[in-house]
Amino acid sequence: QVQLVQSGSELRKPGASVKVSCKASGYTFTAHSMNWVRQAPGQGLEWMGWINMHTGNPTYAQGFTGRFVFSLDTSVTTAYLQINSLKAEDSAVYYCARDDQVVRFNYWGQGTLVTVSS
Amino acid sequence: QSVLTQPPSVSAAPGQKVTISCSGSSSNIGNNEICWYQQLPGTAPKLLIYENNKRPSGIPDRFSGSKSGTSATLGITGLQTGDEADYYCGTWDSSLSAGVFGTGTKVTVL
């Protein structure tokens, strides 16, 4: 069965970096784009962008350029989200989501809570 | 600020029906297919409806979707306590070249 398993919660200080992983199994990893979605505490869902599984080319939504980096390691069927120069407002749950068609996410990771606090 | 607007909350008694609206524009709902997601407290979102009105396998027919022009609607009939959750619409915005989600609606079963 299809599974997306994300890495555990992270606590970082402002200015640090964090890398969240999303391990995929149960399907051909390169057959579906991987998207990332942010949910700040008590807030709604925010689409961050997606990564092309064949080229590794990422596409970032407005507001997620510069400090956010999507990457892949196809040898271990894992997608990554790295956030650099962390700010308090980056504190949120980050989800990976497999794309069946554009913005049609039938499979989600369980979410990774990133807390940025001094 | 989302480009898709939903009511913050809706409520009804068990067994009743609720509808949730999602209002957008020609660059998103008007020209792209819409999905609906259910997010139970503390869990990841779950796909309820795709391509405006189709249900993935395992989703009961109590959940239905429709679209007209630049608006979409999610209907839930036979409301159950287990339906208490946040619901989000989602689609592609061709002007932004980005995925967009609605503002979210909390469903409360009275």
Side-chain angles (χ1 to χ4, degrees):
Chain A
Q1 74 282 20
V2 175
Q3 281 194 306
L4 301 177
V5 179
Q6 297 184 227
S7 47
S9 298
E10 303 275 11
L11 173 62
R12 293 286 188 274
K13 294 187 185 307
S17 295
V18 68
K19 193 169 187 176
V20 176
S21 65
C22 172
K23 166 76 174 172
S25 61
Y27 71 98
T28 301
F29 184 60
T30 53
H32 298 268
S33 300
M34 195 68 76
N35 291 247
W36 290 92
V37 176
R38 182 172 77 177
Q39 187 167 38
Q43 302 300 307
L45 305 174
E46 240 185 318
W47 183 78
M48 300 174 65
W50 63 286
I51 186 164
N52 184 306
M53 309 303 272
H54 295 286
T55 64
N57 185 47
T59 298
Y60 301 101
Q62 274 186 340
F64 295 101
T65 56
R67 298 187 300 114
F68 298 83
V69 180
F70 305 150
S71 62
L72 300 172
D73 185 341
T74 55
S75 68
V76 291
T77 65
T78 300
Y80 301 94
L81 163 65
Q82 181 164 327
I83 311 172
N84 300 316
S85 303
L86 281 162
K87 306 175 181 180
E89 51 263 40
D90 294 325
S91 295
V93 175
Y94 292 85
Y95 294 100
C96 59
R98 195 193 87 168
D99 186 330
D100 285 347
Q101 280 189 3
V102 174
V103 198
R104 174 178 151 189
F105 308 133
N106 206 359
Y107 297 97
W108 295 68
Q110 81 276 20
T112 296
L113 175 64
V114 174
T115 303
V116 183
S117 174
S118 54
Chain B
Q1 305 86 326
S2 176
V3 298
L4 303 180
T5 303
Q6 299 179 231
S9 64
V10 297
S11 61
Q16 297 301 300
K17 175 181 179 178
V18 294
T19 59
I20 300 170
S21 60
C22 176
S23 178
S25 68
S26 58
S27 65
N28 41 66
I29 297 176
N31 283 286
N32 294 288
E33 292 172 329
I34 194 156
C35 295
W36 288 93
Y37 298 90
Q38 176 194 60
Q39 188 177 31
L40 297 169
T43 70
K46 175 182 177 182
L47 182 66
L48 280 184
I49 298 289
Y50 66 97
E51 292 180 7
N52 305 325
N53 55 19
K54 297 178 181 172
R55 285 175 283 107
S57 60
I59 301 300
D61 59 8
R62 300 188 300 106
F63 296 92
S64 64
S66 64
K67 188 181 97 165
S68 178
T70 59
S71 293
T73 302
L74 174 71
I76 311 174
T77 58
L79 205 58
Q80 302 175 0
T81 55
D83 297 332
E84 285 202 330
D86 294 321
Y87 293 81
Y88 296 90
C89 55
T91 189
W92 183 255
D93 190 295
S94 304
S95 293
L96 298 174
S97 292
V100 289
F101 289 103
T103 49
T105 298
K106 182 174 183 59
V107 169
T108 301
V109 181
L110 301 172

